[in-house]
Amino acid sequence: ALATLRAQLRELGFYDRAARRLPASRQGVVVDGVEPGGPAGLAHLQGGDIIISLAGEDVRDPPGLAAALDAALAKGNGSVIPLQVIRGGETRILYLERYWLTETP
């Protein structure tokens, strides 16, 4: 399911935490790049964002993000899937439109 986001994603590592002064306990998925026009781009995800939850599920690593995304798509309630991200020093909520992920190109 992660491929449908059309973004480069990786686990939040030690150096990411140190550079951003995040607590050692912080888990998440770092967005390294976003394909313009893909679902991640349409949701306004940016390189450097750290995804920490999707549809209310905490996200620890890319497999966890994939599982949360699959679960959110399977539930099918609501037209948008909220993503909580850390950008700079603040936490914000972005929204993925469900149909961006389910339409065939």
Side-chain angles (χ1 to χ4, degrees):
L2 282 189
T4 61
L5 287 175
R6 310 225 313 255
Q8 290 77 52
L9 304 165
R10 64 180 170 79
E11 193 165 345
L12 183 65
F14 172 81
Y15 292 107
D16 299 304
R17 288 190 201 92
R20 297 158 197 251
R21 297 187 172 88
L22 295 169
S25 59
R26 166 52 69 207
Q27 302 282 315
V29 173
V30 179
V31 179
D32 271 341
V34 174
E35 200 178 303
L42 293 169
H44 305 291
L45 272 170
Q46 297 175 3
D49 285 353
I50 303 167
I51 302 170
I52 56 173
S53 84
L54 184 146
E57 295 290 320
D58 286 345
V59 166
R60 302 175 65 84
D61 51 26
L65 178 60
L69 184 57
D70 286 341
L73 288 171
K75 275 186 193 140
N77 48 355
S79 61
V80 295
I81 299 169
L83 277 174
Q84 190 173 15
V85 304
I86 298 172
R87 178 179 297 166
E90 51 186 44
T91 303
R92 52 181 70 192
I93 305 286
L94 304 175
Y95 295 95
L96 282 166
E97 292 280 352
R98 185 179 294 283
Y99 72 86
W100 296 337
L101 300 163
T102 52
E103 290 292 299
T104 46

